[in-house]
Amino acid sequence: MTAHATSDDARRRPPGMTDVARLAGVSQKTVSRVVNNERYVSEALREKVLAAAAELGFRPNTAARALITGRFKRIGVVSLGSALYGPASMLVALERATRAAGLSFMVANTPEGQPEAIQDSIDWLLAQGVDGVILSEPIDEGQHVRPDAGVPIVSLGQAGDLPAERVALTRGRTAASCREAVEHLLDLGHERVWHVAGPLDWWEARERLEGWAEAHRARGIEPPPHLEGDWTPAGGHAAGLDLPPEATAVFCANDDTAIGVARALHEAGRRVPEDVSLVGFDDIPAAAYLSPPLTTVQQDFEGDATHALDVLMRLLPGAAPEPEAKAAAPRRRLVVRSSTAPPRSTSSPLSPP
């Protein structure tokens, strides 16, 4: 009975490097070099080993490899676990970037409204075995991140106690994009631009608010009071109901907020863009198909994720020396569509006074 069970266990045993070496007709050391992507293996031999591994269904033992090399070849990401378009798109982009770099990917979701759990998520990732951690959507109320975690930690935005060199997307980049969006509306002839912000415990929401205010003050205009949403169409709708009648232009913290504001304007009998021009942020897939198509700031999630991973990889032990000029993060682009127009009083030089 025992012998039979042992035989069954052997048949169920996952294939190892010894099995791959036997099938490929090479040494176990050669298989190890191929698995660890080391040099000094010819392309023909590498393909032979990979073919044998595929035939057997061999998967490298990450834990065993980490004991030998000190590296897991795995990146951890702390996410808010949000279904919002921006955070979800960034998470997908980070996974693609890590896979393209030959790394595996592990996520720890931190519930929204519990920023104190960010360090707990980092600790959990470290216990699973990761070479570095990326904070994908930092917020700052009660957030404390210990920078001495034993592995590099990089944030996609300002984050608690992390030094500047650990912040991949530097402060001011978002503000500059928002300033451009608001300047577009001011250039059309709108005297002031109202703003529906995101929740202001997010660094990103505060940067968008900052860029909106800067665009006004650069022209000697005092910005109107801002309204606060929650990134959702429902939050945008609630804020849109509070817009004053004199508002002729609105810059929203994201496209979902803009969708809610548009609904509130429609309910008030105000048309976009004839009565109110509307600008969003993100360029969600639906933005170009709204009626009218939405003017918005286009984010490059893939580029931002790749840039953040590059910053993290340069901090890993044994990384290549950092180049003199560090590559800048991708720039966000204003996409002008039909939701913006001059205010009616200045829409044409032939308009009556």
Side-chain angles (χ1 to χ4, degrees):
M1 185 73 172
T2 304
H4 182 265
T6 303
S7 176
D8 285 346
D9 290 343
R11 282 196 295 270
R12 287 195 296 266
R13 177 181 62 82
M17 285 197 288
T18 303
D19 303 306
V20 176
R22 186 181 300 115
L23 180 59
V26 300
S27 69
Q28 189 171 337
K29 179 62 176 175
T30 298
V31 175
S32 177
R33 284 174 174 163
V34 171
V35 167
N36 290 298
N37 202 27
E38 295 178 11
R39 295 182 296 172
Y40 313 119
V41 179
S42 70
E43 192 58 34
L45 198 56
R46 186 181 302 276
E47 289 179 3
K48 188 177 182 181
V49 170
L50 292 175
E55 182 177 336
L56 292 171
F58 168 74
R59 296 289 183 273
N61 186 324
T62 304
R65 181 172 61 194
L67 287 173
I68 297 170
T69 65
R71 293 281 296 276
F72 292 93
K73 300 194 75 174
R74 182 163 56 208
I75 300 300
V77 174
V78 176
S79 170
L80 287 178
S82 171
L84 294 169
Y85 175 78
S89 297
M90 181 57 73
L91 197 58
V92 170
L94 284 167
E95 182 177 17
R96 288 175 179 165
T98 52
R99 289 185 182 277
L103 305 170
S104 60
F105 178 84
M106 178 173 283
V107 180
N109 286 319
T110 299
E112 291 182 69
Q114 298 183 29
E116 68 280 357
I118 290 177
Q119 185 62 53
D120 292 339
S121 296
I122 293 173
D123 292 340
W124 181 83
L125 288 168
L126 294 175
Q128 307 311 306
V130 294
D131 298 314
V133 175
I134 295 175
L135 305 180
S136 70
E137 291 293 334
I139 56 180
D140 72 337
E141 271 192 5
Q143 174 178 291
H144 296 287
V145 177
R146 296 191 302 271
D148 57 342
V151 302
I153 298 176
V154 167
S155 174
L156 279 165
Q158 303 297 312
D161 306 320
L162 290 181
E165 64 270 16
R166 301 292 183 92
V167 178
L169 305 183
T170 56
R171 183 172 177 81
R173 191 181 71 118
T174 295
S177 301
C178 296
R179 180 170 173 168
E180 181 182 3
V182 176
E183 287 172 344
H184 164 67
L185 292 166
L186 295 175
D187 289 342
L188 286 172
H190 297 277
E191 293 183 1
R192 296 196 295 173
V193 177
W194 267 253
H195 180 47
V196 181
L200 295 179
D201 58 342
W202 291 55
W203 288 100
E204 188 71 13
R206 293 213 302 274
E207 281 221 40
R208 295 178 194 187
L209 177 71
E210 183 181 314
W212 161 78
E214 284 177 355
H216 286 84
R217 290 173 181 147
R219 301 192 182 199
I221 304 169
E222 184 60 30
H226 69 272
L227 304 169
E228 187 171 343
D230 61 2
W231 302 124
T232 69
H237 177 262
L241 294 174
D242 290 333
L243 284 169
E246 66 268 23
T248 65
V250 183
F251 169 55
C252 298
N254 70 340
D255 291 347
D256 282 338
T257 297
I259 289 171
V261 170
R263 173 63 182 267
L265 291 171
H266 175 75
E267 291 173 358
R270 306 182 73 187
R271 298 167 299 166
V272 176
E274 291 86 352
D275 301 313
V276 181
S277 285
L278 193 60
V279 175
F281 194 106
D282 278 341
D283 197 20
I284 63 175
Y289 299 94
L290 297 174
S291 182
L294 183 65
T295 294
T296 184
V297 177
Q298 183 182 76
Q299 294 218 64
D300 182 0
F301 294 107
E302 302 286 342
D304 286 348
T306 300
H307 178 74
L309 185 60
D310 287 345
V311 172
L312 180 65
M313 297 292 282
R314 286 197 295 268
L315 296 171
L316 293 176
E322 186 174 330
E324 289 185 14
K326 186 162 62 177
R331 185 178 181 276
R332 290 159 175 168
R333 182 172 69 93
L334 179 66
V335 180
V336 178
R337 298 194 179 104
S338 305
S339 67
T340 54
R344 281 192 298 176
S345 60
T346 60
S347 59
S348 167
L350 299 180
S351 299

